[in-house]
Amino acid sequence: MEANRYLRPATLEEAHQILLQDPKNVLLGGGLWLKKSTSSANTLVDLSALGLDTIKDLGDTVEVGAMVSLRDFELSPLLKNIQGGILIEAVSQIMGVAFRNSATIGGSVAGRFPFSDIITPLLALETKLVFYPHKEMTLNDFLSFKGRLSDILTHIVIKKSQGPSFFKKVKTTALDFAVVNVAIANIDGKYRIAIGSRPSVASLASKSMEVVNNAKNLSNELINKAAELASEELLYASTGAASAEYRKALAKAYVKRGLEEVSK
């Protein structure tokens, strides 16, 4: 990416005003994927001076600032016990430590990257996004939103749910993007199933969730049905890394395995 200028505003209001001045003004998170972009920017707006790099305990939830690095996210004691540590497990598989020291949680989520490993488990949890100046929405609604938001993602709020969870990243080597990733959370007896890197951005497998959440007991037959639905209701595509058929087969296998694990 090429940019004409770089600014580091001192307040969120200033950052927001700069962003609104030109549709080619771009927010700068960790900046690690900018070199992959073929577009150009008029102004890069750096949010690192705005105090968005803290993780706070809000009682029933944990509030994570958008500029928190993936490494600080990974090491946070406030996050390690949420839903059996599914978030830590997922983040720890993203590239290496040096990468995670620079990449930010806000950039990872706001970018809606199809290959994102952290979006998938966040979607399987009860996650809300907070934007400046006055917008809040669930992560699921944000991922479904079409178009460009003119607001600034400031915080990610994660409910402190407890229960068994499952996360699987299928990859060729340790530093590869996922061929597919699957996250399942059992929250108070209700299941949330998210599948990402299909290679589209993560989505909830709603029909599969409906089957398991309407059942009094999860039999092997129901688990198999839910796994089959998860492989059919979402779109899978072929890339150089894997075919659509292979991704569907992986999703089916790991949704089945994950449901068996979290329903014990």
Side-chain angles (χ1 to χ4, degrees):
M1 173 183 278
E2 295 183 357
N4 295 323
R5 62 175 182 163
Y6 162 89
L7 295 177
R8 195 173 184 225
T11 66
L12 271 169
E13 182 179 1
E14 181 185 355
H16 190 239
Q17 288 303 314
I18 296 170
L19 186 64
L20 294 178
Q21 287 171 7
D22 189 325
K24 283 197 169 185
N25 290 352
V26 177
L27 295 176
L28 182 63
L32 292 173
W33 299 114
L34 287 181
K35 66 179 181 180
K36 294 285 188 181
S37 175
T38 58
S39 60
S40 61
N42 182 29
T43 302
L44 290 178
V45 185
D46 187 346
L47 304 180
S48 60
L50 303 182
L52 301 176
D53 57 351
T54 60
I55 302 175
K56 297 180 181 179
D57 188 339
L58 299 185
D60 292 335
T61 60
V62 175
E63 181 188 76
V64 183
M67 294 300 289
V68 168
S69 73
L70 294 185
R71 182 60 172 167
D72 286 344
F73 186 97
E74 177 186 3
L75 297 177
S76 171
L78 292 176
L79 297 167
K80 69 178 182 179
N81 292 322
I82 292 178
Q83 207 64 34
I86 186 174
L87 296 173
I88 308 306
E89 181 182 358
V91 168
S92 67
Q93 298 184 49
I94 298 175
M95 299 295 183
V97 171
F99 181 94
R100 299 197 294 274
N101 274 328
S102 298
T104 63
I105 187 66
S108 300
V109 171
R112 293 188 276 201
F113 299 117
F115 52 78
S116 174
D117 295 316
I118 188 57
I119 286 178
T120 307
L122 282 171
L123 188 57
L125 304 182
E126 297 178 55
T127 303
K128 180 177 68 175
L129 306 183
V130 180
F131 296 84
Y132 180 88
H134 303 298
K135 187 186 294 293
E136 293 185 4
M137 64 174 72
T138 67
L139 175 57
N140 189 40
D141 287 344
F142 172 68
L143 296 177
S144 302
F145 183 83
K146 305 298 182 184
R148 180 178 184 266
L149 281 174
S150 59
D151 299 308
I152 299 173
L153 175 62
T154 61
H155 296 90
I156 297 164
V157 181
I158 309 163
K159 187 174 181 181
K160 287 182 181 177
S161 57
Q162 300 294 320
S165 63
F166 172 88
F167 178 77
K168 178 64 179 181
K169 174 182 180 178
V170 181
K171 55 189 182 295
T172 305
T173 70
L175 298 181
D176 276 336
F177 292 139
V179 172
V180 75
N181 51 45
V182 176
I184 303 176
N186 180 343
I187 304 174
D188 298 325
K190 294 295 183 181
Y191 301 89
R192 290 176 64 89
I193 303 168
I195 306 175
S197 196
R198 308 181 322 277
S200 306
V201 71
S203 295
L204 290 173
S206 301
K207 293 180 181 178
S208 180
M209 289 164 51
E210 185 177 0
V211 165
V212 294
N213 287 328
N214 286 337
K216 292 183 179 179
N217 296 296
L218 269 191
S219 63
N220 289 334
E221 182 181 358
L222 276 176
I223 288 176
N224 288 332
K225 181 179 179 181
E228 180 69 35
L229 276 173
S231 71
E232 295 292 341
E233 66 175 296
L234 299 176
L235 294 176
Y236 298 82
S238 297
T239 64
S243 67
E245 291 74 18
Y246 182 54
R247 285 188 163 99
K248 288 179 66 174
L250 287 172
K252 180 178 178 180
Y254 285 109
V255 168
K256 179 178 184 294
R257 190 174 302 180
L259 285 172
E260 289 172 344
E261 187 171 315
V262 302
S263 62
K264 292 178 180 176

